[in-house]
């Protein structure tokens, strides 16, 4: 069973704004990048697993800016796996050499839904057993370590 993933990537020019820092909305794209990688790591595609995962709550605290070509590390951990949703804890760090400085921290709650092909309406459903069997909440000490990392001032 898996409970999280850490991925690295570089900040792209298109993710920056007029003052040449990453626009706040792109941090949510980074989360989705990590979430898709997490699902791939357990042998699934987030869009081909038979259910949808709309966002029902998102929050982020930004501590330091990111800029074009910064190397970043996105850590995504499953904090909770509820019957019909999951709560992710996220930390984004800037990598410089062998140092990692946290630049943002947040939480994302995703619901498990099916969509009626006729009406388009979404209905919350239990996470399918085949998916739930692959995902577990992160151990408490792992979550504490993620949260213990002092945020950059």
């Amino acid at each position: 069973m898996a409970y999280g993933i850490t991925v690295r990537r570089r900040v792209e020019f298109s993710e920056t704004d007029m003052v040449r820092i990453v626009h706040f909305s792109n941090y949510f794209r980074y989360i989705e990048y990590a979430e898709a990688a997490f699902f791939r790591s357990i042998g699934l595609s987030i869009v081909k697993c038979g259910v949808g995962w709309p966002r029902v709550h998102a929050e982020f605290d930004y501590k330091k800016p990111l800029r074009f070509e910064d190397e970043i590390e996105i850590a995504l951990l499953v904090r909770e796996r509820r019957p019909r949703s999951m709560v992710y804890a996220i930390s984004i760090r800037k990598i410089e050499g062998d140092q990692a400085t946290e630049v943002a921290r947040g939480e994302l709650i995703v619901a498990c839904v099916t969509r009626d092909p006729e009406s388009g309406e979404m209905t919350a459903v239990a996470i399918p057993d085949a998916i739930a069997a692959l995902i577990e909440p992160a151990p408490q000490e792992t979550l504490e370590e993620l949260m213990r990392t002092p945020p950059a001032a």
Side-chain angles (χ1 to χ4, degrees):
M1 292 179 73
Y3 55 79
I5 195 164
T6 299
V7 294
R8 285 190 178 195
R9 67 181 301 260
R10 288 209 179 266
V11 171
E12 300 295 331
F13 181 74
S14 62
E15 298 165 347
T16 63
D17 60 19
M18 290 180 64
V19 292
R20 298 183 184 163
I21 62 172
V22 171
H23 190 267
F24 77 94
S25 63
N26 285 307
Y27 288 77
F28 292 99
R29 287 187 175 102
Y30 300 153
I31 297 168
E32 288 187 342
Y33 178 83
E35 181 186 33
F38 174 63
F39 270 73
R40 282 190 303 274
S41 77
I42 59 172
L44 299 173
S45 166
I46 195 160
V47 297
K48 295 180 184 176
C49 62
V51 292
W53 301 97
R55 286 69 180 101
V56 296
H57 174 80
E59 67 180 59
F60 235 74
D61 292 317
Y62 304 92
K63 306 300 179 181
K64 286 190 168 212
L66 290 172
R67 292 180 166 72
F68 174 54
E69 293 191 339
D70 281 347
E71 184 177 6
I72 61 173
E73 175 180 272
I74 305 119
L76 178 143
L77 295 176
V78 176
R79 178 180 294 151
E80 293 178 55
R81 190 192 74 212
R82 301 171 179 166
R84 296 176 181 223
S85 63
M86 288 191 289
V87 180
Y88 299 132
I90 299 106
S91 175
I92 297 179
R93 297 180 174 104
K94 179 179 175 181
I95 306 300
E96 295 178 285
D98 60 352
Q99 298 292 327
T101 303
E102 187 175 69
V103 297
R105 177 184 293 186
E107 175 181 274
L108 181 68
I109 302 175
V110 296
C112 184
V113 302
T114 58
R115 187 176 154 273
D116 182 281
E118 298 286 320
S119 69
E121 268 190 54
M122 292 187 291
T123 304
V125 296
I127 297 172
D129 291 342
I131 296 173
L134 300 172
I135 300 171
E136 65 183 335
Q140 189 59 38
E141 58 273 9
T142 304
L143 285 165
E144 288 171 3
E145 183 173 325
L146 180 72
M147 294 298 117
R148 189 172 40 244
T149 303

